[in-house]
């Protein structure tokens, strides 16, 4: 979250101005509705609140689900390049809101290590273990501080990739690129104030305050963007809202949007939902926020929302079903992260959403041994049937025992050293970082998550802790499948700000920030093949971007999050975005976007040396894969589709002797020059049918299959044409 530097008296004077501006904005929207909402039959201004189905008596009771309609939809049918420029609010986040108050002044530096120890540390960083991780295929700059126009710190770097676009979010704006790095909505992107302007009657119209988030819904071929908004500053009384946009098509630039807003807690209007995180699940978009009283900034708990995804995709009125977890139900934890999915099969029908958190005690140095897991069951038809966790306090469904770790703070969260300065950076080492990744590979369900931990308390360095949890059958395990605190052979670098992703083959990678007293903050990533020994990022580390400077601002705020995602065009390419500084500055941050990929057949590659760090790193040559010995299976025969509906059908094919699985392509043309996300080389496992979803009504589709095993992949099958039913 950002914090305004205006005075308290100015805040109260601003309230009068806010009320006037909101009224004027409502008039503006009413007068301009014809040009903005080109579909009058569906368009409403945000002041005309649309209500979803009425809540039953069992809802909105203490401890039960809270049901509230979202404001909207407001139909935005204008190309983002044609929106009026509305400048962002000039703010700097001075204090991070945490579960327990933490001092933000770092401890005095300890005695300098001996020159020999410094020399050994330097050698480890200059001559690390020989890596096998492929270098980046492409990197390009995303938004920077000057382009953002908000004087924001930190940038809140986030982004996701679709079939044709990369959409990045920073605290003030979204910027849309093609997949070669060319900007599509102007050099400075689109501010949230411009994007949500037509949500009149809410702070979303002109008072957006950051913590932006974006993700691609690969099942529906849509984009979702969100940030929070409130008039005035903190401390302040709000009201506090979450602003949400769902694209009408797969084109985020000119395809139109449905805009919505929801108050963070209507029953407690002075409460703000901080650090919002969202995720895709088949039955809903899930949103979590940390609750603080806006006036006192006291911690109030966590609120978890289920947003009616089906209605929002159609641009219809929608409800949200939400639960508050009070501190009594949370213990020492907060910042619950909802699980989302991209590769593999969709979660089984009826599977409850998973949420994860870790503890962050009031004092540093406590060894922790648990990851907490919640299940969120939502029922939009009968909201009173919805549940979160266990009992009236919504305590976790499971406490998973993990290897002991210390969360990354001592008497302060400013721990990460930088080259050439005493200014240290914030670790955000008190939470599971976004995303939490769900994957279903032929019925084997797992969750993957990462966080920052502190080694050698209180001295450091920090390391990236990652986990894989088996959740087959919808239940949390007692212990992880695998886990590790990754420090690359104890090379002395501080690693933090991780984000994790898993490709269709079960290969995993984590992108993160690195720094030390003798190296500038930079962006790196590490990974493992599914065939690597457990509990280790066996492919080592690669460099995405080498920092050319460091941050000297006294707040020490850095990132707040990074993002790693998988390209739905192939389900193999990893994209990562994070913060860096090309030159030393107080707060003139830059962001970088890059992509990389494991070898397609995922062998253990021939080791290659890491590229020499430069200001603009070049890609490492990808090793030539060596196929696993064995006989390549024959091609399957694609059979007639069954179970056709307006949005789905079941693809069928024959079994092939010796095959261990099948890959499915779905296209809108018989030559397969384009693909229906995510069905390009889509691994459906060892089965002979698959339900293809997320399709358009009354449309012809084409599908084909390939069989695979350890010896290779077969040629394509015959092509089958199928037509979805009209609505």
């Amino acid at each position: 979250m950002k914090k305004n530097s205006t005075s308290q008296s100015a805040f109260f004077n601003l309230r009068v101005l806010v009320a006037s501006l909101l009224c004027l904005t409502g008039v503006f929207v009413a007068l301009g509705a014809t040009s903005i909402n080109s579909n009058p039959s569906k368009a409403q201004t945000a002041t005309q609140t649309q209500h979803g189905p009425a809540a039953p008596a069992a809802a909105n009771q203490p401890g039960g689900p809270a049901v509230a309609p979202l404001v909207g939809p407001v139909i935005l049918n204008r190309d983002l390049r044609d929106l009026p420029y509305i400048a962002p609010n000039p703010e700097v986040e001075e204090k991070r809101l945490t579960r327990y108050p933490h001092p933000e002044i770092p401890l005095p530096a300890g005695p300098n290590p001996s020159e020999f120890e410094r020399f050994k540390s330097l050698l480890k960083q200059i001559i690390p273990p020989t890596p096998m991780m492929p270098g980046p295929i492409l990197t390009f700059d995303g938004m920077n501080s000057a382009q953002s126009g908000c004087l924001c710190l930190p940038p809140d770097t986030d982004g996701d990739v679709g079939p044709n676009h990369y959409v990045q979010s920073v605290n003030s704006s979204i910027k849309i690129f093609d997949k070669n790095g060319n900007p599509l909505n102007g050099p400075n992107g689109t501010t949230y104030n411009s994007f949500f302007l037509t949500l009149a009657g809410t702070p979303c119209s002109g008072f957006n305050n950051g913590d932006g988030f974006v993700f691609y819904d690969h099942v529906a071929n849509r984009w979702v963007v969100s940030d929070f908004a409130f008039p005035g500053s903190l401390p302040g009384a709000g009201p506090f809202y979450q602003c949400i946009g769902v694209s009408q098509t797969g084109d985020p630039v000119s395809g139109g949007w449905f805009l919505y807003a929801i108050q963070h807690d209507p029953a407690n209007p002075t409460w703000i939902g901080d650090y919002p995180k969202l995720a895709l699940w088949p039955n809903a978009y899930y949103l979590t926020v940390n609750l603080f009283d806006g006036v006192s900034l006291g911690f109030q708990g966590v609120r978890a929302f289920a947003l009616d995804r089906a209605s929002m995709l159609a641009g219809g009125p929608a409800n949200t079903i939400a639960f508050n977890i009070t501190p009594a139900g949370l213990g020492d934890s907060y910042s619950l992260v909802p699980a989302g999915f991209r590769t593999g099969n969709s979660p089984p029908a009826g599977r409850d959403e998973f949420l994860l958190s870790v503890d962050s005690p009031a004092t540093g140095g406590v060894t922790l041994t648990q990851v907490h897991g919640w299940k969120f069951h939502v029922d939009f038809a009968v909201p009173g049937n919805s549940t979160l966790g266990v009992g009236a306090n919504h305590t976790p469904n499971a406490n998973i025992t993990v290897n002991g770790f210390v969360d990354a703070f001592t008497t302060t969260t400013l721990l990460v050293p930088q080259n050439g300065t005493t200014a240290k950076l914030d670790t955000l080492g008190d939470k599971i970082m976004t995303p939490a990744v769900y994957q279903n590979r032929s019925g084997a369900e797992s969750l993957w998550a990462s966080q920052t931990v502190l080694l050698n308390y209180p001295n450091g360095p920090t390391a990236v802790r990652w986990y894989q949890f088996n959740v087959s059958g919808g239940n949390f395990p007692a212990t992880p499948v695998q886990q590790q605190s990754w420090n690359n052979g104890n090379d002395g670098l501080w690693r933090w700000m991780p984000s994790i992703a898993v490709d269709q083959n079960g290969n995993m990678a984590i992108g993160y920030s690195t720094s030390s007293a003798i190296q500038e903050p930079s962006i790196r990533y590490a990974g493992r093949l599914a065939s690597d020994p457990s509990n280790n990022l066996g492919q080592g580390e690669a460099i995405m971007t080498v920092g050319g400077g460091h941050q000297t601002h006294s707040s020490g705020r850095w990132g707040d999050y990074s993002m790693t995602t998988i390209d739905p065009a192939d389900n193999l390419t990893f994209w990562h975005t994070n913060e860096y500084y090309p030159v030393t500055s107080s707060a003139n941050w830059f962001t970088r976007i890059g992509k990389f990929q494991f070898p397609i057949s995922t062998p253990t590659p021939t080791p290659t040396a890491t590229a020499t760090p430069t200001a603009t790193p070049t890609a490492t040559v990808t090793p030539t894969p060596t196929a696993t010995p064995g006989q390549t299976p024959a091609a399957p025969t694609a059979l007639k589709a069954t179970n056709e509906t307006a949005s789905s059908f079941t693809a069928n094919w024959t079994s092939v002797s010796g095959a261990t699985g099948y890959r499915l392509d779905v296209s809108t043309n018989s030559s397969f020059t384009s693909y229906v996300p995510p069905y390009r080389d889509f691994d459906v496992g060892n089965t002979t049918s698959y339900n293809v979803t997320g399709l358009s009504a009354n449309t012809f589709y084409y599908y084909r299959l390939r069989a695979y095993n350890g010896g290779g992949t077969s040629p394509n099958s015959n092509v089958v044409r199928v037509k979805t039913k009209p609505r």
Side-chain angles (χ1 to χ4, degrees), residues 47-83:
T47 53
Q48 296 173 302
T49 303
Q50 300 300 302
H51 294 267
N60 295 316
Q61 300 298 317
V67 182
L70 281 80
V71 175
V74 170
I75 313 301
L76 179 64
N77 283 334
R78 295 180 64 178
D79 190 302
L80 296 191
R81 293 166 291 191
D82 297 332
L83 294 180

Side-chain angles (χ1 to χ4, degrees), residues 98-119:
T98 54
R99 172 66 179 85
Y100 297 105
H102 295 164
E104 297 202 357
I105 300 174
L107 289 172
N112 290 329
S114 70
E115 291 304 316
F116 180 66
E117 291 300 320
R118 285 177 57 84
F119 176 70

Side-chain angles (χ1 to χ4, degrees), residues 449-473:
S450 63
Q451 65 179 114
T452 302
V453 298
L454 183 64
L455 306 179
N456 310 310
Y457 176 86
N459 299 314
T462 50
V464 171
R465 167 67 73 92
W466 61 271
Y467 308 97
Q468 180 189 5
F469 304 114
N470 180 1
V471 291
S472 296

Side-chain angles (χ1 to χ4, degrees), residues 544-622:
M544 188 179 113
T545 302
V546 176
H550 50 266
Q551 176 179 293
T552 60
H553 195 280
S554 60
S555 74
R557 302 305 309 279
W558 185 273
D560 257 20
Y561 31 100
S562 66
M563 185 57 67
T564 308
T565 53
I566 297 291
D567 195 325
D570 60 14
N571 289 316
L572 295 170
T573 303
F574 294 80
W575 291 73
H576 180 68
T577 185
N578 207 334
E579 175 182 2
Y580 81 107
Y581 278 66
V583 295
T584 296
S585 170
S586 172
N588 188 24
W589 47 262
F590 280 64
T591 63
R592 196 78 174 167
I593 299 162
K595 68 175 184 176
F596 58 92
Q597 185 185 93
F598 291 103
I600 297 298
S601 60
T602 65
T604 300
T606 303
T608 58
T610 303
T612 302
T614 61
T616 306
T618 57
T620 304
V621 177
T622 304

